[in-house]
């Protein structure tokens, strides 16, 4: 009786050396001669080579292998061998090919293509090496975020995406008609997370954030994903400890799970590992300004940092760094007043080294009813929209802190991608709404 041939995934090839297996795959590329064809295959788990040797197969099968076009889907059957020349380490000696879906004139050929073209073809570009590796790492970061916050006793709280009020003012908001009234796509879930923290102690939200960012930078999307933890009975110093442990945990998980992907992206793993060394430096905004001035930056106390300043600061310490206690005037209304200085708030941004910029923004929240109300008035926000939020200070207010991590910023930092559009499957930017 003949044994059934197992259908496996490429990633598991190492377990089947010397055995005949079947794999459902797509053809990435092909090269060869009159005597041999090398098929570069992918199946969504990994990439490897299948070899068709004319002398070992029927004339018909060899001709079929030579006629395969880029992105044809098929079942390939053959024996797994070690392949010391490839980084993957295994290949297949093909004994059969069953074509499933033909492919003709696939637009993304092995030659160089421009970025605009590749993103016009993003639905196909996802299949290629770099997007595959980057988005696999994104997936690890998402799973690891749930793992981290679950193990730390947080409850996942889903904040709404359609809101009636503008959390941080109306600039950069997408407005839409909601049965005759205005609704806004959420810029942040934070205010709702605060309500959640008063109910569940420690919560995190994870969802898309929408910002009509009019500046074209390599760090801004108009739709991005944010993880926003919020913790009751927690001061800022304790929140910073959670933040750095979270970042180190994410990096460790990627090092553990995405070796193949980090190789594809040529990311320096030792450098990444160095970022898991805690603690991260805490640098006051005041000191950051002095440091910048001493290094010939033209900055005055009170300005927000741009990309060159952020890059310089984090590179100076060769690690992610917290810049703490920013000027009140450049931060959101809900950030807690400093106990001894009226011009700063208890806030922190985490800046990544190597030019990846701000990956976290956070603060202790103003927990005093009168002071919070005064801040809402000062910023000329519509008080009626914040009555529910003020309730959180009316009924058993407690010190609480939280932060927001931009998932795509973290993806670019971990993967070493230059531009944030690579970090999300279908980027939305000022000049891109399709596909
Ligand atoms: P930036 O100054 O870089 O615009 P921000 O101060 O507006 O950032 P926050 O409002 O604190 O950012 O948002 C929390 C986090 O969300 C940021 O630290 C960043 O990681 C991410 N983030 C903010 N805006 C964007 C965007 N347009 N695209 C992608 N990620 C973003
Ligand atoms: Mg911004």
């Amino acid at each position: 009786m003949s044994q059934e041939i197992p259908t496996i995934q490429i990633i598991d090839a190492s377990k089947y050396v010397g055995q005949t297996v079947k794999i459902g795959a797509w053809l990435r590329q092909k090269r060869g001669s009159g005597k041999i064809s090398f098929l570069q295959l992918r199946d969504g788990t990994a990439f490897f080579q299948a070899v068709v040797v004319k002398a070992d197969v029927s004339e018909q099968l060899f001709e079929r292998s030579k006629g395969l076009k880029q992105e044809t889907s098929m079942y390939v059957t053959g024996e797994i061998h070690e392949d010391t020349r490839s980084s993957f380490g295994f290949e297949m000696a093909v004994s059969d090919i069953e074509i499933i879906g033909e492919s003709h004139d696939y637009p993304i050929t092995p030659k160089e293509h421009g970025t605009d073209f590749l993103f016009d073809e993003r639905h196909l570009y996802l299949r290629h090496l770099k997007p595959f590796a980057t988005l696999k790492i994104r997936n690890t970061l998402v799973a690891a975020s749930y793992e981290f916050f679950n193990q730390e006793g947080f409850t996942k709280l889903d904040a709404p995406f359609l809101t009636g009020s503008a959390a941080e003012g109306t600039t950069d908001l997408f407005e839409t008609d909601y049965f005759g009234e205005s609704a806004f796509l959420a810029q942040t879930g934070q205010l709702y997370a605060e309500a959640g923290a008063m109910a569940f102690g420690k919560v995190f939200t994870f969802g898309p954030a929408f910002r009509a960012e009019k500046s074209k930078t390599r760090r801004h999307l108009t739709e991005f994903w944010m993880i926003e933890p919020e913790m009751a009975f927690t001061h800022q110093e304790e929140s910073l400890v959670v933040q750095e442990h979270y970042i180190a945990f994410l990096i460790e998980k990627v090092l553990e799970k995405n070796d193949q992907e980090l190789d594809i992206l040529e990311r320096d793993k030792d450098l990444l590992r160095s970022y898991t060394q805690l603690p991260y430096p805490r640098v006051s905004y005041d000191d950051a300004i002095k440091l910048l001035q001493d290094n010939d930056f033209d900055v005055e106390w009170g300005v927000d940092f741009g990309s060159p300043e952020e890059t310089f600061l984090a590179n100076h310490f060769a690690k992610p760094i917290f810049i703490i206690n920013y000027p009140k005037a450049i931060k959101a209304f809900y950030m807690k007043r400093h106990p001894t200085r009226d011009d700063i708030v208890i806030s922190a941004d985490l800046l990544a080294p190597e030019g990846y910029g701000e990956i976290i923004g956070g603060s202790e929240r103003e927990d005093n009813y009168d002071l919070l109300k005064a801040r809402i008035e000062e910023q000329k926000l519509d008080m009626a929209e914040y009555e529910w939020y003020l309730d959180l200070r009316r009924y058993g207010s407690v010190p609480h802190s939280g932060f927001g991590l931009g998932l795509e910023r973290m993806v670019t930092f971990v993967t070493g991608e230059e531009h944030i559009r690579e970090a999300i499957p279908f980027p939305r930017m000022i000049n891109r709404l399709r596909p």
Side-chain angles (χ1 to χ4, degrees):
M1 218 175 78
S2 74
Q3 259 195 316
E4 182 88 11
I5 294 173
T7 301
I8 70 158
Q9 295 186 305
I10 295 175
I11 195 88
D12 296 323
S14 64
K15 298 176 201 152
Y16 293 88
V17 175
Q19 290 186 51
T20 296
V21 299
K22 182 173 169 180
I23 296 178
W26 289 264
L27 180 74
R28 294 176 54 226
Q29 281 178 46
K30 182 190 69 193
R31 60 188 177 81
S33 65
K35 293 187 177 129
I36 192 161
S37 313
F38 296 101
L39 311 177
Q40 307 301 328
L41 301 179
R42 60 171 190 88
D43 74 342
T45 67
F47 303 84
F48 88 153
Q49 172 169 282
V51 187
V52 193
V53 181
K54 188 174 181 188
D56 296 344
V57 299
S58 68
E59 182 69 33
Q60 195 194 17
L61 176 57
F62 190 69
E63 285 309 310
R64 192 182 309 151
S65 78
K66 279 177 59 179
L68 292 171
K69 299 277 191 298
Q70 198 184 351
E71 289 306 314
T72 297
S73 56
M74 62 191 114
Y75 279 113
V76 287
T77 303
E79 196 174 297
I80 301 294
H81 293 278
E82 284 196 44
D83 171 21
T84 47
R85 289 153 307 170
S86 79
S87 63
F88 182 66
F90 303 90
E91 64 176 22
M92 175 190 266
V94 177
S95 53
D96 193 22
I97 294 173
E98 180 193 345
I99 293 173
I100 304 298
E102 301 269 1
S103 166
H104 296 286
D105 304 317
Y106 183 73
I108 310 176
T109 57
K111 69 164 200 196
E112 288 265 327
H113 294 283
T115 303
D116 274 341
F117 173 80
L118 291 174
F119 279 87
D120 287 343
E121 304 288 343
R122 181 63 163 172
H123 52 293
L124 299 175
Y125 183 40
L126 290 177
R127 305 175 181 201
H128 292 247
L129 269 178
K130 270 181 59 180
F132 171 85
T134 305
L135 296 175
K136 278 286 200 186
I137 289 174
R138 177 188 169 103
N139 184 58
T140 299
L141 294 175
V142 171
S145 294
Y146 278 87
E147 192 182 336
F148 180 84
F149 290 111
N150 284 332
Q151 90 191 9
E152 296 289 320
F154 284 68
T155 298
K156 164 87 193 305
L157 184 100
D158 302 309
F161 305 138
L162 279 170
T163 62
S165 66
E168 305 188 7
T170 49
T171 46
D172 296 345
L173 274 182
F174 287 109
E175 192 172 349
T176 183
D177 174 66
Y178 192 75
F179 307 110
E181 71 169 303
S182 273
F184 303 97
L185 296 181
Q187 279 177 306
T188 162
Q190 187 206 309
L191 306 191
Y192 300 96
E194 286 184 58
M198 300 307 136
F200 300 92
K202 294 196 276 188
V203 299
F204 70 106
T205 71
F206 177 47
F210 304 90
R211 296 187 188 181
E213 307 273 13
K214 282 162 205 98
S215 56
K216 285 191 207 168
T217 83
R218 61 189 179 88
R219 295 180 186 164
H220 289 91
L221 295 161
T222 54
E223 182 184 280
F224 65 98
W225 286 68
M226 197 158 40
I227 293 141
E228 294 183 276
E230 192 70 36
M231 298 159 279
F233 294 104
T234 301
H235 291 289
Q236 173 74 346
E237 297 71 39
E238 301 160 272
S239 172
L240 296 188
V241 173
V242 174
Q243 292 175 42
E244 61 191 357
H245 279 90
Y246 172 42
I247 297 296
F249 183 85
L250 292 180
I251 296 172
E252 277 160 14
K253 280 289 166 185
V254 170
L255 285 166
E256 179 191 322
K257 300 210 178 282
N258 296 105
D259 199 56
Q260 163 188 242
E261 288 76 20
L262 291 168
D263 283 342
I264 290 172
L265 297 165
E266 297 173 15
R267 185 65 168 131
D268 184 335
K269 291 177 211 166
D270 292 327
L271 190 58
L272 273 186
R273 199 164 288 111
S274 74
Y275 303 146
T276 63
Q277 296 297 314
L278 300 182
Y280 296 151
R282 276 85 165 142
V283 182
S284 72
Y285 174 87
D286 294 355
D287 286 346
I289 288 286
K290 280 193 211 101
L291 186 61
L292 288 165
Q293 287 170 342
D294 289 347
N295 286 277
D296 302 326
F297 281 86
D298 185 19
V299 289
E300 293 294 326
W301 195 96
V303 298
D304 206 354
F305 299 135
S307 175
E309 288 84 19
E310 290 183 351
T311 300
F312 171 82
L313 288 168
N315 281 348
H316 184 79
F317 294 89
K319 278 188 149 200
I321 59 164
F322 289 111
I323 304 290
I324 64 170
N325 301 346
Y326 280 81
K328 180 168 91 175
I330 57 170
K331 288 293 178 187
F333 73 94
Y334 50 71
M335 295 193 181
K336 189 179 169 75
R337 76 210 175 277
H338 190 271
T340 59
R341 273 176 61 182
D342 192 42
D343 57 344
I344 57 176
V345 285
I346 304 176
S347 62
D349 285 356
L350 183 67
L351 309 183
E354 302 177 69
Y356 296 101
E358 179 193 322
I359 50 180
I360 290 181
S363 74
E364 189 156 338
R365 318 308 188 187
E366 184 53 73
D367 49 33
N368 178 283
Y369 175 84
D370 293 318
L371 292 174
L372 182 60
K373 196 167 173 212
R375 291 284 283 152
I376 295 171
E377 272 159 6
E378 242 170 74
Q379 304 230 339
K380 301 192 170 54
L381 299 170
D382 181 359
M383 191 63 72
E385 293 288 356
Y386 292 93
E387 282 304 331
W388 72 265
Y389 184 60
L390 284 164
D391 273 354
L392 307 178
R393 278 69 175 169
R394 281 190 189 103
Y395 306 111
S397 187
V398 297
H400 61 290
S401 303
F403 61 95
L405 170 105
L407 176 64
E408 292 78 12
R409 297 265 179 101
M410 188 64 193
V411 172
T412 56
F413 171 44
V414 175
T415 59
E417 287 284 9
E418 284 279 298
H419 200 292
I420 198 163
R421 67 183 157 231
E422 309 282 349
I424 186 164
F426 295 96
R428 296 290 176 251
M429 292 174 294
I430 191 163
N431 56 355
R432 183 164 296 281
L433 189 56
R434 299 181 178 83

